[in-house]
Amino acid sequence: MKRCSIVQVVKKSGVRCWVIGVSFLVICLFASCNQPTTTTQHPTNNQHLTPNTQLTVLFTGDVLLDRGIRHIAEHKGIEHLFEEVTPIFREADAVVVNLECPLTDTISPVNKKFIFRGDAHWAKDLKKAGITHAAMANNHTNDQGRRGLQATAYNLTSAGITPLGYGTNFKEQITPVLIEKDGISVALFNATTLTIENWCRLDDKPGIAQPTEKELLDKITDFHRNNPNTHIVVVLHWGIEFQPYPSIRQRALAHRLSEAGVAAVVGHHPHILQPIDTIGKMPVYYSIGNFVFDQKNPKARESMIARLTFHSDGTIKSDSISVKIEGGRPVIRK
């Protein structure tokens, strides 16, 4: 079986990023979305870390580049959509967005209720805005079929953006992406727990990560056992749309992820904000809402950027940046 080494290097602030591995109930909600910063201690045995260094990763919710947003993108450009947040993006070592549409000129729509597509060349504009990674494991990157999905991954990679949760087979799809800086290592897993309309998982075909909970937990447990000094972040597309709280099943899964060695969980799909929780030492952003989106529901226009800062002494600082979506684009609350 074919093995992969370094797939891509992100040339930003000395950060290196590559895909590793084989050819790719009820708890109390202790905090609201304005939860204070949480600092988590993760001891490390790495003696080669540079003193007082840190690696910062930003995570955003759904980025839709179609429907009402398409008109803005075509007339004012992608740059306009991200104008307010680009300065913050460029200060971070990595920026992970949930790409809620394929970016492809291939038109081969799947038979489903909502079908989206962004233009292929917009991938380069996303890179210019400071985006380094795109989560693809959701219920819309497959809207133009497997050919459109493959084209999206190619267009992102060609633009210098690393796809998450995508692969030519299941092993690749469930393999994490590594980000490293000055001896600090972070592994990003991306998956969806949703049943996707008119789409089936085929383990030997190009697709997105749709593991069972057991498969996801087993993979993470194994990775943590073999890489004890690497911080694990799980980016999940899960939950129920427009529900203000996570489900019992989500909370149970979050507990099991914590037990498996996960450092943080970042979620999206409900389109609105849900509470931030802390399980043991693990922060859980159940839903960080939309980010670039055209929904009119006032709650769907409340958003946040989740920020995780990994320090060379093994600690993690988690906080959030409050965002308001105005005219389809994110604006930082002062």
Side-chain angles (χ1 to χ4, degrees):
M1 186 171 291
K2 184 178 178 181
R3 292 183 175 273
C4 292
S5 56
I6 297 175
V7 172
Q8 178 183 14
V9 176
V10 177
K11 299 179 179 178
K12 180 174 184 181
S13 304
V15 182
R16 295 183 300 156
C17 168
W18 60 81
V19 178
I20 67 170
V22 183
S23 186
F24 264 6
L25 70 182
V26 176
I27 64 170
C28 294
L29 294 175
F30 294 106
S32 69
C33 292
N34 293 320
Q35 173 177 310
T37 293
T38 300
T39 301
T40 305
Q41 181 72 39
H42 290 268
T44 176
N45 296 320
N46 194 331
Q47 301 298 316
H48 304 289
L49 298 180
T50 303
N52 302 319
T53 59
Q54 64 185 40
L55 188 160
T56 301
V57 186
L58 304 181
F59 299 83
T60 83
D62 301 344
V63 172
L64 171 65
L65 302 179
D66 201 0
R67 205 165 58 186
I69 302 299
R70 172 174 284 279
H71 177 81
I72 301 172
E74 290 176 340
H75 289 80
K76 296 185 178 181
I78 299 297
E79 179 183 0
H80 169 77
L81 291 170
F82 292 91
E83 184 178 20
E84 293 285 332
V85 296
T86 293
I88 294 177
F89 283 3
R90 290 177 177 169
E91 291 175 357
D93 295 303
V95 177
V96 182
V97 302
N98 178 55
L99 184 62
E100 194 78 347
C101 63
L103 295 181
T104 175
D105 294 330
T106 298
I107 301 178
S108 55
V110 173
N111 183 21
K112 54 193 300 191
K113 184 176 181 180
F114 297 105
I115 304 170
F116 301 135
R117 183 187 66 84
D119 293 353
H121 68 271
W122 286 344
K124 295 179 180 179
D125 297 319
L126 293 178
K127 178 63 176 179
K128 291 177 182 177
I131 294 164
T132 61
H133 297 71
M136 291 182 62
N138 59 57
N139 58 318
H140 282 294
T141 50
N142 64 339
D143 283 1
Q144 299 297 325
R146 295 192 192 276
R147 287 190 301 151
L149 193 63
Q150 288 176 280
T152 300
Y154 174 83
N155 293 328
L156 288 169
T157 303
S158 298
I161 297 176
T162 303
L164 304 180
Y166 169 82
T168 59
N169 56 55
F170 179 70
K171 289 184 178 181
E172 287 184 359
Q173 295 154 19
I174 201 63
T175 297
V177 166
L178 274 186
I179 301 175
E180 290 190 340
K181 175 186 177 183
D182 296 333
I184 305 171
S185 181
V186 177
L188 301 178
F189 284 84
N190 176 217
T192 181
T193 64
L194 305 177
T195 299
I196 301 178
E197 185 180 2
N198 281 342
W199 183 265
C200 61
R201 167 181 151 180
L202 299 175
D203 290 357
D204 59 347
K205 298 290 184 181
I208 57 172
Q210 297 174 266
T212 64
E213 292 184 5
K214 183 180 185 303
E215 287 171 333
L216 179 62
L217 290 162
D218 286 349
K219 179 66 176 181
I220 290 171
T221 300
D222 183 63
F223 181 88
H224 180 61
R225 183 187 305 115
N226 294 318
N227 304 273
N229 297 322
T230 298
H231 304 285
I232 300 173
V233 179
V234 182
V235 181
L236 283 176
H237 205 67
W238 63 347
I240 304 170
E241 291 185 335
F242 302 107
Q243 293 301 306
Y245 298 101
S247 67
I248 293 176
R249 183 169 183 174
Q250 285 176 270
R251 298 171 186 174
L253 176 56
H255 273 269
R256 297 178 71 187
L257 288 170
S258 176
E259 293 167 357
V262 173
V265 175
V266 180
H268 29 63
H269 176 62
H271 297 298
I272 63 174
L273 293 175
Q274 291 182 347
I276 303 171
D277 197 6
T278 303
I279 300 175
K281 298 178 180 179
M282 182 187 76
V284 185
Y285 298 83
Y286 281 105
S287 174
I288 56 177
N290 291 324
F291 197 66
V292 173
F293 227 90
D294 61 350
Q295 288 173 332
K296 304 303 182 183
N297 184 331
K299 291 185 178 181
R301 291 188 279 120
E302 299 291 331
S303 179
M304 70 164 68
I305 299 171
R307 177 168 52 194
L308 298 177
T309 305
F310 304 87
H311 297 273
S312 56
D313 63 1
T315 59
I316 303 172
K317 176 184 177 183
S318 64
D319 62 357
S320 61
I321 302 168
S322 184
V323 172
K324 178 76 172 180
I325 300 175
E326 298 179 356
R329 65 179 190 153
V331 176
I332 302 296
R333 290 185 182 275
K334 305 302 181 183

